Amino acid sequence: MPRTLTLVLILLPAWARAQAVMDGLNAAAWVQTSVEYRASALQAWRSARLSLERALKDKRWTAALEQTGDARRLPPAIIVDIDETVLDNSPGQARFLLEGNGRFSEKQWQEWTAESRAEAVPGAREFLAGASARGVTVFYISNRAPQEAEATRRNLVEKGFPVRDAVAGDLGDALLLRGERPEWTSDKSVRRAAVAARYRIVMLCGDDLNDFFPARLKPEERMNRARAYDSWWGERWIILPNPMYGSWEDALYDFDRTLPPAEIQQRKLKALRTR
Ligand SMILES: [Mg+2]
């Protein structure tokens, strides 16, 4: 093999890896080291605590678009997402950067969640434990897979989160994972509707627009659709910061994860405005 070709074959993967690491570095460093991240999370959960008083008093109050019909007599519930909402997976992200090729790896992710070692997002446990003590059922609607259920439950319980084993109707427990039932797809609205049939959903908490409404849409459509709910943020809808990943990013390249990394990077660059 000619020496130049050998050199290219050695350097190209190293260059691609370095690029991917740079893509993810700022976001993971911000979440793991900045006071700014911690303060943003505390601020979100403080808003939730203040808002819960009004939400419980006002029986017409609901936070779910899937809540149709009279919910005044239904018991109150809060729906939270898990990853980057109540559990901090930034060490898993750091593993992609430090021990992987810089990008999401299903194998590394599964290894991380199986360890049940994620820390609580600052402020999350205190808020949810308080709400649970007041009789609010907390539902965890997550796109983690059923095989991750046991390790996920253990992680939540060990960190002091309220996880009910028995809930109303035929929902089973309070952990509603993707694929536990055929109709429970990655779009979370079917699971929200299942909760809404039995509870008055007083709050939705998440780090991704999909935690609030179906958001597999182009970036402009996401923005336009969300504008109708500007006044819900910090009251009915509590959002946590996640600069590391999310549907906001997938939307920049039409949710096509099969595209080559260089193409994905080009599309992100094209999405930037200079004025
Ligand atoms: Mg999440």
Side-chain angles (χ1 to χ4, degrees), residues 81-85 188 206-208 211 242 245:
D81 166 56
I82 294 178
D83 295 318
E84 279 41 80
T85 298
K188 295 179 168 180
D207 67 302
D208 192 294
D211 298 325
N242 178 8
Y245 64 87

Side-chain angles (χ1 to χ4, degrees), residues 3-267:
R3 277 178 61 190
T4 43
L5 182 59
T6 312
L7 205 60
V8 165
L9 288 178
I10 291 170
L11 289 180
L12 209 60
W15 179 81
R17 182 183 178 279
Q19 283 275 310
V21 168
M22 289 305 287
D23 277 355
L25 183 56
N26 245 15
W30 187 72
V31 170
Q32 290 204 334
T33 68
S34 77
V35 175
E36 288 83 349
Y37 166 73
R38 182 179 160 76
S40 301
L42 290 173
Q43 183 171 265
W45 293 115
R46 182 179 162 78
S47 296
R49 185 161 57 79
L50 296 174
S51 182
L52 185 62
E53 302 303 320
R54 290 171 53 204
L56 292 179
K57 236 179 256 165
D58 179 357
K59 302 285 187 225
R60 290 174 196 276
W61 174 297
T62 176
L65 303 180
E66 293 82 5
Q67 188 107 55
T68 51
D70 188 354
R72 281 176 294 180
R73 291 173 192 279
L74 298 178
I78 292 174
I79 293 178
V80 296
D81 166 56
I82 294 178
D83 295 318
E84 279 41 80
T85 298
V86 302
L87 291 181
D88 166 13
N89 299 293
S90 62
Q93 295 293 314
R95 291 180 190 187
F96 303 153
L97 304 182
L98 294 170
E99 299 165 5
N101 68 1
R103 297 195 167 80
F104 176 83
S105 140
E106 187 62 42
K107 182 173 172 288
Q108 280 183 306
W109 173 260
Q110 295 290 340
E111 285 167 2
W112 160 251
T113 60
E115 291 174 22
S116 307
R117 286 173 62 173
E119 294 292 335
V121 166
R125 171 193 30 233
E126 292 79 359
F127 170 68
L128 294 175
S132 179
R134 299 190 54 183
V136 180
T137 301
V138 179
F139 282 93
Y140 300 82
I141 296 189
S142 165
N143 283 342
R144 285 192 179 193
Q147 63 266 26
E148 295 172 272
E150 202 186 315
T152 301
R153 172 183 283 275
R154 192 184 325 126
N155 198 159
L156 289 169
V157 170
E158 279 177 8
K159 292 299 168 195
F161 286 102
V163 189
R164 290 209 186 159
D165 294 324
V167 293
D170 60 349
L171 288 166
D173 59 19
L175 204 56
L176 312 183
L177 303 184
R178 169 176 56 91
E180 280 185 334
R181 298 192 185 168
E183 69 276 23
W184 289 3
T185 59
S186 60
D187 180 337
K188 295 179 168 180
S189 50
V190 172
R191 282 173 280 172
R192 279 193 296 268
V195 175
R198 300 161 180 92
Y199 292 83
R200 181 166 68 89
I201 300 170
V202 295
M203 207 171 279
L204 301 179
C205 312
D207 67 302
D208 192 294
L209 202 49
N210 280 306
D211 298 325
F212 305 93
F213 63 76
R216 201 181 166 89
L217 304 166
K218 289 185 184 305
E220 322 79 76
E221 292 171 39
R222 292 160 64 85
M223 200 63 87
N224 289 337
R225 175 114 211 266
R227 275 185 208 285
Y229 306 100
D230 275 357
S231 64
W232 285 27
W233 299 114
E235 286 199 346
R236 295 168 205 232
W237 290 357
I238 304 297
I239 189 127
L240 279 296
N242 178 8
M244 299 183 293
Y245 64 87
S247 61
W248 62 270
E249 181 188 4
D250 298 296
L252 296 178
Y253 50 88
D254 297 323
F255 301 87
D256 184 359
R257 291 185 181 175
T258 66
L259 288 172
E263 171 68 19
I264 287 176
Q265 200 178 48
Q266 279 307 309
R267 298 221 188 165

